[in-house]
Amino acid sequence: MPTLASGPPEPHHHRQVAESFGTDPERYDRARPRYPGELIARIAGPGREVLDVGCGTGIASRQLRDAGCAVLGVDPDERMAAFARRSGVEVEVARFEDWDPAGRTFDLVVAAQTWHWVDPVAGAAKAARVLRPEGRLAVFGHAFRLPPEVARAFAEVYRRAVPGSPFSAPQADRHEEVFDKAADGIRQAGGFGAVERWRFDWEQHYTRDAWLDQLSTTGMLTWLPEDKQAEVLDGAGAVLDALGGGFTMPGSTIAMVAARES
């Protein structure tokens, strides 16, 4: 079993978690939420050439393509890339920091729910190199806010299954910290104008099956052995049964957007 340090991990130092999502790309693509249409409309445009960093199964890539963009994905996992290709997304397999752009440049670089797996300064510097003048870097992702009683119950389930893991205690809302680090990385890298922060609020009701389906695609589970995954899912299912079979969760999609300076 991969070992994570105690305390809140720095995600980009734990590639074994990032690269475990491809164990079931079909489930990942089915269960993961899409991005708000308002966000896609603000960054997309007919004919724009887009680089999707950590494109995974192509969820954001397809939304951008459907909005008229020409999209190239980069992802370190061949399994995820193969799934995205089946839906018509062009993907090159590499870590973004190691990827060779071969002289290509783009109007837009996006990272949808993936930038925390990239070194925030090195990644932003590379994005600046492949962006055309006044092209934009858009880093966005979902901030899930479990109801407190649900978060505590899930943390207890995880603590019993994987004692000592950083996921085994209720986590404070670290989403703002994640996006603050992204913004700081963009500023430290240089080459960009002011960083804008956009927020799109939403609310989602999850049935028992829908939540367990999504939970199975998260880094909390994908890096665990199958018996531990089953133990967590069984425990989470029992929690949801006790809650009446589901719950409603408020959340937001947050975007950090900056234009490359000319």
Side-chain angles (χ1 to χ4, degrees), residues 167-216:
F167 298 121
S168 63
Q171 297 290 304
D173 187 349
R174 296 186 65 232
H175 298 103
E176 292 300 325
E177 178 186 341
V178 169
F179 287 103
D180 285 346
K181 286 182 178 179
D184 288 344
I186 293 168
R187 295 186 189 102
Q188 290 178 47
F192 289 97
V195 180
E196 299 180 34
R197 185 177 299 221
W198 305 342
R199 176 173 170 155
F200 306 86
D201 293 326
W202 43 263
E203 191 173 79
Q204 176 70 42
H205 181 77
Y206 282 95
T207 64
R208 179 188 193 277
D209 290 346
W211 180 253
L212 296 183
D213 209 26
Q214 177 167 299
L215 185 61
S216 297

Side-chain angles (χ1 to χ4, degrees), residues 52 55-63 65 71-74 80-92:
D52 186 358
C55 67
T57 60
I59 293 172
S61 294
R62 295 194 301 270
Q63 289 187 260
R65 181 190 63 193
V71 184
L72 172 65
V74 175
M80 301 288 264
F83 185 99
R85 292 184 189 118
R86 291 199 294 273
S87 65
V89 177
E90 182 182 354
V91 186
E92 297 179 5

